[in-house]
Amino acid sequence: MISPEKVQEYKNNVLEAFAEAGLIFTKEEINNPGKFQLIEYYDRFEEVGIAMLTVTNEPRYCGRFLYFFPGQSCIEHWHPQVDGKPGKEETFRVLKGTIYAYEEGPETLRIKAAIPKGLERFYIVKNETVLNAGDQIVLGKEAKHWFQAGLEGAVCVEFSTQAIDDRDRGNDPDCRIAIY
Ligand code: ZN
């Protein structure tokens, strides 16, 4: 559980990082809880979480900006089919900082990310791609993937098919998720 004061502080940090990357948003977007969200996993936001600002999410496309705090990871997840439609496919591009991205495929020896302590069994796929500003990767297609930011944090943009976040799946059925 993050206190309301701390939520505001994190959101301010995110908006500062976006502004440093040249990204400006309207008050309506910033104050819309359906658009600007902090997602926290396991009550460990600074380690396992993500900040998202969704600028459009339509039946056939979605655009959002993401911020990862230094060393922060999302959980390993995948996007299953929903109502017979193929799972979300996402092109993920780094605007500032470094992202370590992991997907299914040959395991990278000595990955650069540090898997959050105690959650090692839920981070399975270890085919690593290192993304710096200007680099992008296509993920999804119902395959598992996860990310971790480098130590300076990372601003990213995601172009994807429609996001239906509450239908995403992770490896840990008991993972606690909170949205602020
Ligand atoms: Zn995903």
Side-chain angles (χ1 to χ4, degrees):
M1 190 73 193
I2 312 176
S3 72
E5 295 75 22
K6 199 71 185 165
V7 167
Q8 201 50 55
E9 186 183 321
Y10 286 137
K11 286 193 168 182
N12 289 341
N13 295 152
V14 173
L15 292 173
E16 279 166 27
F18 282 158
E20 281 173 22
L23 302 171
I24 304 299
F25 300 95
T26 66
K27 280 206 171 58
E28 191 277 326
E29 289 168 327
I30 291 166
N31 295 324
N32 184 329
K35 288 189 173 176
F36 187 22
Q37 298 179 320
L38 306 180
I39 318 288
E40 178 191 53
Y41 302 95
Y42 297 103
D43 297 323
R44 292 164 64 174
F45 177 71
E46 291 187 15
E47 288 173 276
V48 200
I50 185 169
M52 307 195 295
L53 208 157
T54 302
V55 292
T56 184
N57 190 16
E58 297 291 331
R60 295 197 297 168
Y61 59 89
C62 174
R64 51 174 47 152
F65 295 91
L66 309 172
Y67 181 68
F68 291 90
F69 282 84
Q72 193 182 34
S73 308
C74 67
I75 58 165
E76 182 172 307
H77 66 280
W78 67 99
H79 308 282
Q81 290 193 7
V82 176
D83 301 329
K85 287 200 300 185
K88 177 175 176 240
E89 187 175 329
E90 49 201 30
T91 292
F92 187 88
R93 182 182 178 99
V94 175
L95 301 178
K96 199 164 189 288
T98 300
I99 284 282
Y100 307 118
Y102 299 92
E103 60 185 318
E104 295 178 10
E107 186 171 326
T108 301
L109 293 175
R110 300 168 66 99
I111 63 169
K112 294 191 172 60
I115 293 175
K117 290 247 168 346
L119 300 178
E120 293 82 358
R121 66 193 182 284
F122 302 122
Y123 285 88
I124 298 163
V125 302
K126 296 194 179 78
N127 183 270
E128 179 179 80
T129 304
V130 178
L131 303 163
N132 291 301
D135 295 334
Q136 66 184 41
I137 188 171
V138 180
L139 292 168
K141 298 181 175 175
E142 298 159 39
K144 293 182 175 185
H145 54 279
W146 61 281
F147 310 107
Q148 184 172 97
L151 293 180
E152 71 283 23
V155 176
C156 310
V157 60
E158 183 191 61
F159 311 94
S160 73
T161 54
Q162 185 180 32
I164 309 173
D165 297 329
D166 60 357
R167 303 291 282 271
D168 291 347
R169 302 289 302 279
N171 291 320
D172 179 3
D174 298 322
C175 175
R176 288 185 306 282
I177 302 174
I179 300 173
Y180 301 92

